Amino acid sequence: EMKVFKDGVDIFKDEMRVFKDGVEIFKDEMSDFKDEMKVFKDEAREINRDMNRKWGEMANKLGTITEDLVAPSLPRIIKEEFDLEVSDLIVRRKKKLKDGRVKEYDTIAIGGGYIFVSSAKSSLKNADADKFVHDIKEFREFFPEFSDYKLIGVLASLYVDEGFVKHAEKKGFMVLSVGDQLMEVKNTKGFKPKEW
């Protein structure tokens, strides 16, 4: 009986050794798994950072694409709509006042006693038209040299829906968007923009 007991203890010891070896192998595998997960997380973080950077670049490019379409189209549109020649075209004009306020206007076109100030965005919402009223009202504070000019506000985008056009017209703004030509006027036929 003692031999059976001793054999049982030896078997138990062997099983415990096998179990202990299994636990060690499991711990090693878990350590390897944790290392692989850390590498995976680091790679995922890097991919996420790279994607965010690319999205940011694309968003910036979308904003400048709209501006890049508006500036060359504005003289043609002003000629067609107002029969005026643009004598000066200023793109992305930023000005800082002595009180520290800074304002940037996307495109400023000057001709025939008029000044056309445009704001271009990849998409426009009614709130953008509402904010632009404020920007237009401040324009002469930033550019007093144009105080004798009639001021026309122009909102431009890659696409505008009819609801936005109606809202912008109530505010007195011309609306431009991509059409058959690079940019075209989207206002209702016969609409006269407000002279500020």
Side-chain angles (χ1 to χ4, degrees):
E1 269 185 37
M2 199 59 162
K3 182 172 177 4
V4 172
F5 178 74
K6 192 173 182 248
D7 288 345
V9 168
D10 288 341
I11 291 170
F12 179 72
K13 280 182 176 177
D14 289 342
E15 287 176 352
M16 283 304 291
R17 197 173 299 112
V18 168
F19 177 75
K20 199 173 162 192
D21 290 346
V23 167
E24 286 301 314
I25 290 169
F26 179 74
K27 280 169 70 178
D28 290 344
E29 287 176 353
M30 281 306 290
S31 179
D32 290 346
F33 178 73
K34 280 170 74 177
D35 291 344
E36 287 172 12
M37 281 306 291
K38 183 181 177 342
V39 168
F40 174 77
K41 280 181 174 176
D42 291 345
E43 286 174 356
R45 211 174 278 123
E46 187 58 37
I47 289 168
N48 194 30
R49 241 183 250 123
D50 191 45
M51 284 302 295
N52 287 343
R53 185 178 47 74
K54 286 181 178 165
W55 277 113
E57 288 171 1
M58 195 163 83
N60 285 341
K61 194 59 194 159
L62 268 178
T64 61
I65 281 173
T66 308
E67 292 169 25
D68 294 343
L69 293 173
V70 173
S73 299
L74 213 46
R76 173 186 51 80
I77 289 169
I78 292 168
K79 178 69 176 157
E80 290 171 1
E81 297 293 315
F82 297 89
D83 197 27
L84 296 172
E85 296 293 331
V86 171
S87 58
D88 197 3
L89 187 66
I90 306 159
V91 180
R92 294 184 195 107
R93 179 69 160 93
K94 189 181 221 174
K95 193 163 185 185
K96 183 177 183 176
L97 297 181
K98 288 178 184 170
D99 66 10
R101 286 184 296 154
V102 176
K103 187 73 72 180
E104 182 173 356
Y105 292 93
D106 295 336
T107 311
I108 300 169
I110 304 155
Y114 281 83
I115 187 155
F116 297 82
V117 177
S118 86
S119 175
K121 296 190 181 317
S122 54
S123 67
L124 287 165
K125 299 179 223 45
N126 289 354
D128 296 314
D130 299 341
K131 181 188 174 303
F132 196 47
V133 169
H134 180 72
D135 293 341
I136 290 293
K137 286 181 176 178
E138 282 191 332
F139 181 81
R140 288 188 177 92
E141 284 183 65
F142 283 85
F143 299 95
E145 63 271 27
F146 297 119
S147 60
D148 294 338
Y149 288 71
K150 292 175 184 167
L151 179 56
I152 303 284
V154 180
L155 289 164
S157 184
L158 298 176
Y159 167 80
V160 291
D161 65 41
E162 201 175 310
F164 175 80
V165 173
K166 298 239 179 288
H167 184 77
E169 285 180 348
K170 285 179 189 166
K171 301 291 179 184
F173 297 129
M174 283 185 73
V175 179
L176 308 181
S177 178
V178 174
D180 294 336
Q181 301 197 40
L182 196 55
M183 292 295 277
E184 63 182 27
V185 177
K186 293 295 182 177
N187 295 92
T188 310
K189 203 77 173 152
F191 170 77
K192 296 286 181 230
K194 180 176 180 175
E195 293 176 4
W196 298 79

